[in-house]
Structures are given as structure tokens and as C-alpha cells.
Amino acid sequence: MLRTSTCGELRKDDCGKEVILCGWIQRMRDLGGMTFIDLRDHYGIAQLAFSIELNKELYEKAKTFGREYVIKVSGTVIERSNKNPNIPTGEIEIIVNSLELLNSSDNVPFTIEDETDGGEELRMKYRYLDIRRNIVRNNLILRHRMAFEARSFLNQLDFVEVETPVLIKSTPEGARDFLVPSRMNAGQFYALPQSPQTFKQLLMIGGFDRYFQLVKCFRDEDFRADRQPEFTQIDCEMSFITKKDIFEIFEGLIRHLFIKLKGIKPDDFLVQSYHDAMKYYGTDKPDLRFGMRLVELNDIVKGKGFRVFDDAEMVAGIKVEQCAAYTRKQIDELTEWVKRPQIGGKGLVYVKINTDGTIRSSIDKFYSEDELRKCADAFNADEGDLLLIMAGDKAATRKALGELRLEMGSRLELRDPGKFKCLWIEDFPLLEWDEETKRYYAMHHPFTSPLEEDIPKLGTDLANVRANAYDLVINGVEIGGGSIRIHDKKMQEKMFEVLGMSKEEAYKQFGFLMEAFRYGAPPHGGIALGFDRLVALFAGTDSIRDVIAFPKNNAGRDIMIDSPAPIDEAQLKELHLKLYVKK
Ligand code: ASP
């Protein structure tokens, strides 16, 4: 090796040792007669000292170097007079006695510091420089450790990692596929998997008992802050299990990760039905780090002559504790906030339960103090509390209130980043009606089984059939989801029928699975966890880009390698393709 030690490992006990270090110049300080270099490698930072008195030639040479030069030095470890308690090597420095330049560096486009001056696009273009920064490197190391611990945990429980193909077949259900033209089969295409769903089911039919895979999945969706066109799942499937087993095993996995990587024992996981989550939190991924449940008010407020409430399908609100002193301006600002198109609220009604015993609202004209007090009682409100009430369609009102709840939770700092609340959401609807295409879609995917007791409704009451499906939610983030699958050929045929597919179409798309169901398919089920999101949660960042080595930007571009990119006419021809757009 070129070195005897790394920049992060030397301590006071090493004083007197002769060492050789290699690394990048993080910083240089010349104090006139003494030059100090902070030398950085993957493991940390060591201070190098050059003194004009001890070695004038080296001192002068060092001064010609700049940031991010790659050097190799040898020298003696000594105790520092000026200790730096902020870094692990802060008690020592190296008096350099030889210095070799391994490579120089141009001026870097942004500073390689924790607080860098580079904007996100610039840092993504030079991601290899961004990766030199502690924060990015640490995120990637965390990711590695989480993957390692997840593998080790699942391995202990007899899960076997099996690789499934990346070039598969396009299917109409789910998100849009990324397609790969086949050169050898003119006019035909592979698709990149949105998930290995059917393959993991086929592994169960193949007699594997427990499968897992850390696997790349691809979805050609519109881009959002927490979406990447390619992302990683911890994908799992098991035979002969129930939902309860899945909850136990994956609660175990999450606990294992929390203990190993954060030294935290999370509270017991809660279980909540989709119905209750929507009713009390206006979302199927509630952040339970704080209360502020939605309270429905139809029974109390309707029929008093206030048109907005009378005409609404739902009137509901939240109680914001000890905020009755909000000013007119603050309430107006919140009203504007809920009216933003992303939230979609039509307006906001307030009720203040003042500390002087009075109760005031923006609808005093329509409601007596007694009636307002009934409202307050519905919330169990105390003096000093503020009620924020919205009205409209049931679904829209719940959604908007759910967003307002999160916003107030953030503003009041109730969403403690050091606290983790994990819960399972269960009993999702099996199907979702789409107004545009006038048909039902599988809410999870078409292989999810209905709840046993809801099977009779499959013919008559599709909207109310619940699925044997579940999501794992942590702090308001959907970390994963799965289901107990259909393993019966007839039921699977029925499901495709419900989704508006003819038998012929269903067999064309999924014939391989239907065929497999003929040969003794075991009952099975599974789950997939979004690994990028899980790492982001552990890293304390909102963006999964921060925990991906080479992510794509908001427009789905890799701006470092400049992809996607046009291809040659010759390549197109070879692939039997013709472009409809001009290059
Ligand atoms: N394949 C599903 C998904 O990617 C997860 C599952 O049902 O196991 O969402």
C-alpha cells in the first residue's frame, strides 16, 4: 500500500510513530513560517505541519499546492499544542519530512465543505466531488450498513436472495414502463420491471419458502421530489403465512435497523385501518408523532343557515392547542395557505376558545356562543385552543385538513425528527374507481387478494371490497406495502375480469402466471420496502436524492453523464426504430 495509516485513525497514543499518509488537501493555513494542511481521506482528517525552520524546502513546496491536490507525505506523529476537540484526530499532528505530489487539481466548482457554496444542480453535475463531502459520504455509508444489516437479518430468518430479470415484459397495469427495444426481434420490446412482483410469486410456486432481494425497480412516472425513475426495494415474499406473520417479521426488521444503526428502540408498531386513517388523519400515511386528529362536525353545524356548511358533504376540523391568540393576519395567511392549488381548500373557518372565557369565530353571524361551544366540546377543546374548520367534498376536505394538520404540526414543531412512529395501515380498498377511464383499477396491484369476508361483494359492491393489503408508514412516510396474494386461478381470473380485462387479454398479459397457478400454487404473500426512503428517513433528509450515489434530477436527467441522450441513426436502424420527433 502507498500508506501506513489513514487520515482518520491517528490518536495521542500514536505519538512518536513514523507514518505515511495519502489524501486530498482539504484546507491550508500559512501562519508565516508554519504551514498547516488538513489532509482528508475517506476515514477522516489529519493535520500536517510544515515549518520553515525544520525544513525550508518542504515548507516552500507545500505552499505551492492548493485545495484538492492529492499528496503523499511521511512524517512523525506529535501531540498538538493547539488541540481541536471537534475531530477525532484533534490531539495530534504530523511533522512532515517528505512530501510527494500524486496529482494536482483544478479549482473545484464548489467548496468541499459541510456547508458548501454549491447549488444542487452544480453538485449533481460534479457528483464525484459532492461525494467527497462528509454528509454525502456518510449517507452512502449509512445506506451500505442498512443494506448489510437488512441482508443479515433476513438471512437469519432463512430468506434467500434471488436475482430476478431486469429485461421483462410490458404490462398495462400499474405505472408506465420503461421500454427497451429488441434488436433481434424487430418491433418487439422488453420492459424494465416496476417490481419483481410476478417473479417472486413464481419463486413461491417454485417451492422457495422465503425470498428477498435488494432490487432496482423502474417506473416512468412524472417526477416529484421524493421520486426517482429508478429506485431500490427490499423486496420479499413468503409462503404459508398470514398478514400477522408479515407484520411480525418486518416489524422485527425495522426494529433491528433502528437498534443497529440509530441505537433507538421504537415504540410498538400501531395498526390502523385505511378507513380510520382517512377519517382521523385525512391520509393513508399519517404522521403519528403528534395528535391533532380530524373531528367531523356535520351533526353539530348543519342546518343553522350557513350555506357553506349546509351545502358541504363534510364539515370537519382540527384543534390547534394554545393558538387562540393567533392574529387576524396569521389566520388570513393560513387561509391563503389552504387555498393553494396543492391543498385545494376553499376557505378556512376559525373558532377561538379564548382564555377570558369568550368564544369567537369567523361565523359568529350564524352560530350562537352555545352552538360554538358544542363544536369546542366535540374537539375536547380547552381555553386557549384554536379550531380550524373546512368544508366541501368528503375526500377533498379530509385531504386538505390532513395537509393543514401536517403544516400546523411542522409550524408548532410537533414533528420531532428524533422521534419515530411506525404503524401498519391495513384493510385498503381492493379497487379504485377512475373517473377518466371509467373503470376500476387495483389499488395495490391485481395479484392482491380480497379479504375473505368481502369476497361475496366482488359481484355486487366492488367499491367496498377490502384487500388483504397493508402499508408500513413511519413518520408520515410510506415506507412499504404488500399483500397476501391470490393463489387460486379462478380468483385471479375473476380479478382480471373485475379490472375490465377480457379472458383473452388477461391470458395474453399474464398467461405465464395463470398457467403456473395450475400446478399447486401455495398460499403466499409479501411486502416491498422502499429502501431509498428508508435510508432517507434514517439519514434525516426529505430527499431520496441525498442517499443515492448518482441520482437523477427533478426532470429525470442524470446531468453528470448527460442522460437521456439521442442515439445514432445507425443504432435506431439496428433497433428497427424510427423517430417521430426531430433530434
Ligand atoms: N410489488 C409491490 C410493489 O412494488 C409490493 C408487494 O406487493 O410486495 O409495490
Side-chain angles (χ1 to χ4, degrees):
M1 277 206 265
L2 297 185
R3 62 190 176 196
T4 58
S5 313
T6 67
C7 296
E9 71 183 296
L10 298 171
R11 301 285 181 275
K12 221 165 112 183
D13 283 351
D14 297 303
C15 285
K17 273 193 195 156
E18 292 296 314
V19 295
I20 305 174
L21 300 179
C22 296
W24 288 262
I25 295 179
Q26 171 83 21
R27 222 173 283 128
M28 294 178 68
R29 294 179 300 284
D30 183 35
L31 305 182
M34 280 298 278
T35 285
F36 295 100
I37 288 181
D38 284 348
L39 189 68
R40 183 193 73 238
D41 67 8
H42 179 84
Y43 304 95
I45 287 203
Q47 176 165 295
L48 311 178
F50 300 82
S51 131
I52 195 165
E53 264 171 40
L54 286 177
N55 193 329
K56 182 153 191 291
E57 193 191 331
L58 275 190
Y59 169 81
E60 296 295 347
K61 187 171 169 189
K63 277 187 14 176
T64 64
F65 295 171
R67 279 185 181 230
E68 301 308 314
Y69 276 45
V70 189
I71 60 172
K72 175 180 168 185
V73 296
S74 54
T76 318
V77 183
I78 63 158
E79 188 172 348
R80 263 199 229 187
S81 47
N82 240 340
K83 302 210 172 26
N84 178 356
N86 299 322
I87 58 170
T89 61
E91 291 194 308
I92 59 104
E93 65 189 1
I94 290 105
I95 300 290
V96 176
N97 54 39
S98 91
L99 170 61
E100 185 185 334
L101 179 64
L102 298 177
N103 215 337
S104 62
S105 168
D106 285 354
N107 277 337
V108 283
F110 51 86
T111 53
I112 312 293
E113 302 276 356
D114 290 355
E115 298 289 332
T116 177
D117 56 357
E120 193 178 12
E121 287 280 302
L122 191 64
R123 284 186 286 116
M124 280 174 79
K125 182 165 161 59
Y126 298 96
R127 184 65 168 174
Y128 48 89
L129 294 179
D130 205 19
I131 290 174
R132 288 186 190 169
R133 295 170 57 232
N134 289 324
I135 186 155
V136 186
R137 182 184 52 246
N138 289 341
N139 282 345
L140 295 179
I141 294 173
L142 172 69
R143 186 184 176 104
H144 155 75
R145 290 202 180 125
M146 288 178 74
F148 183 84
E149 287 298 341
R151 282 198 164 96
S152 138
F153 180 88
L154 292 169
N155 174 61
Q156 289 258 329
L157 293 182
D158 291 332
F159 282 82
V160 177
E161 184 158 23
V162 181
E163 289 172 273
T164 52
V166 172
L167 294 174
I168 65 167
K169 183 170 93 165
S170 183
T171 61
E173 293 301 306
R176 203 176 282 115
D177 285 320
F178 278 103
L179 298 173
V180 180
S182 164
R183 176 179 60 82
M184 307 232 270
N185 303 273
Q188 298 190 1
F189 293 79
Y190 299 102
L192 305 183
Q194 295 181 27
S195 84
Q197 184 60 37
T198 49
F199 289 99
K200 63 175 174 176
Q201 292 190 241
L202 292 166
L203 283 170
M204 297 301 107
I205 299 173
F208 269 81
D209 195 50
R210 296 178 163 196
Y211 141 94
F212 87 101
Q213 184 181 191
L214 264 82
V215 63
K216 270 288 174 77
C217 302
F218 306 85
R219 292 180 194 173
D220 188 2
E221 290 174 310
D222 294 337
F223 301 107
R224 280 202 248 136
D226 65 340
R227 287 262 164 91
Q228 286 276 310
E230 54 178 299
F231 58 96
T232 305
Q233 288 186 341
I234 306 180
D235 190 43
C236 302
E237 197 75 6
M238 295 186 275
S239 283
F240 309 115
I241 41 96
T242 63
K243 174 175 73 182
K244 201 166 152 273
D245 303 307
I246 302 247
F247 283 11
E248 262 172 37
I249 289 178
F250 290 91
E251 175 167 342
L253 170 62
I254 297 292
R255 280 186 180 286
H256 177 79
L257 294 175
F258 268 114
I259 290 166
K260 285 279 174 186
L261 293 142
K262 294 191 82 69
I264 292 176
K265 269 195 183 157
D267 297 343
D268 283 344
F269 287 31
L270 300 172
V271 181
Q272 189 164 63
S273 70
Y274 171 86
H275 173 270
D276 284 357
M278 297 307 284
K279 184 175 163 73
Y280 296 122
Y281 302 100
T283 171
D284 59 2
K285 38 178 191 287
D287 183 346
L288 294 192
R289 281 174 296 180
F290 65 109
M292 219 188 272
R293 280 181 169 210
L294 276 52
V295 173
E296 295 174 8
L297 298 167
N298 281 11
D299 292 347
I300 303 176
V301 298
K302 283 197 173 225
K304 312 282 176 195
F306 182 44
R307 279 285 296 276
V308 176
F309 284 0
D310 287 348
D311 294 350
E313 185 185 0
M314 172 166 287
V315 184
I318 53 173
K319 173 182 76 182
V320 191
E321 284 176 13
Q322 297 308 304
C323 286
Y326 267 29
T327 60
R328 182 62 194 254
K329 206 170 142 214
Q330 280 172 299
I331 302 269
D332 285 350
E333 189 263 327
L334 276 178
T335 310
E336 286 314 306
W337 189 91
V338 299
K339 283 184 177 169
R340 298 180 330 158
Q342 307 93 296
I343 311 299
K346 297 218 173 58
L348 194 60
V349 165
Y350 70 80
V351 178
K352 293 174 173 180
I353 300 99
N354 294 319
T355 43
D356 63 6
T358 62
I359 185 160
R360 292 280 169 272
S361 78
S362 47
I363 44 173
D364 282 349
K365 255 203 294 190
F366 300 93
Y367 296 88
S368 68
E369 222 176 285
D370 259 3
E371 283 161 343
L372 292 176
R373 220 165 273 289
K374 270 194 200 138
C375 259
D377 288 345
F379 285 90
N380 256 326
D382 279 332
E383 284 188 355
D385 291 348
L386 170 72
L387 311 181
L388 298 172
I389 299 171
M390 297 176 78
D393 291 350
K394 185 161 136 183
T397 304
R398 281 179 167 173
K399 178 180 171 286
L401 271 174
E403 299 279 0
L404 180 63
R405 173 183 173 269
L406 288 180
E407 177 67 15
M408 295 315 296
S410 298
R411 290 188 188 195
L412 299 172
E413 297 181 7
L414 303 173
R415 305 175 74 186
D416 179 353
K419 207 161 131 184
F420 296 91
K421 282 282 181 191
C422 313
L423 83 153
W424 294 101
I425 303 288
E426 61 179 5
D427 298 348
F428 281 84
L430 183 70
L431 302 160
E432 221 172 3
W433 178 255
D434 180 54
E435 252 322 298
E436 221 169 275
T437 50
K438 298 263 180 261
R439 56 158 276 205
Y440 279 105
Y441 283 85
M443 191 154 179
H444 193 52
H445 52 58
F447 315 108
T448 293
S449 64
L451 279 187
E452 191 81 32
E453 64 261 39
D454 286 358
I455 290 177
K457 291 189 202 158
L458 265 180
T460 50
D461 188 12
L462 289 179
N464 288 314
V465 181
R466 288 164 301 166
N468 203 346
Y470 32 80
D471 273 1
L472 174 63
V473 175
I474 306 181
N475 289 1
V477 181
E478 182 197 324
I479 289 296
S483 59
I484 301 298
R485 324 297 183 190
I486 297 168
H487 65 280
D488 171 67
K489 186 160 150 284
K490 286 232 159 55
M491 178 57 83
Q492 190 64 67
E493 278 173 359
K494 176 80 196 162
M495 187 65 190
F496 287 133
E497 183 194 313
V498 162
L499 295 172
M501 269 195 230
S502 68
K503 206 164 172 179
E504 199 189 5
E505 221 179 309
Y507 271 84
K508 199 169 140 220
Q509 299 298 340
F510 298 110
F512 60 96
L513 188 68
M514 307 294 260
E515 176 89 346
F517 280 170
R518 291 170 53 197
Y519 301 105
H524 61 286
I527 189 168
L529 306 182
F531 186 56
D532 310 279
R533 283 193 197 167
L534 193 60
V535 181
L537 184 87
F538 274 52
T541 168
D542 288 333
S543 169
I544 62 170
R545 281 200 293 268
D546 293 344
V547 298
I548 295 174
F550 298 104
K552 300 192 173 38
N553 75 1
N554 265 341
R557 297 198 67 83
D558 183 326
I559 51 178
M560 183 182 68
I561 63 169
D562 197 18
S563 167
I567 56 171
D568 288 346
E569 211 47 57
Q571 280 175 297
L572 278 173
K573 206 170 158 203
E574 203 170 47
L575 294 169
H576 323 280
L577 295 178
K578 209 172 161 151
L579 284 189
Y580 281 97
V581 285
K582 279 237 165 345
K583 276 201 226 169

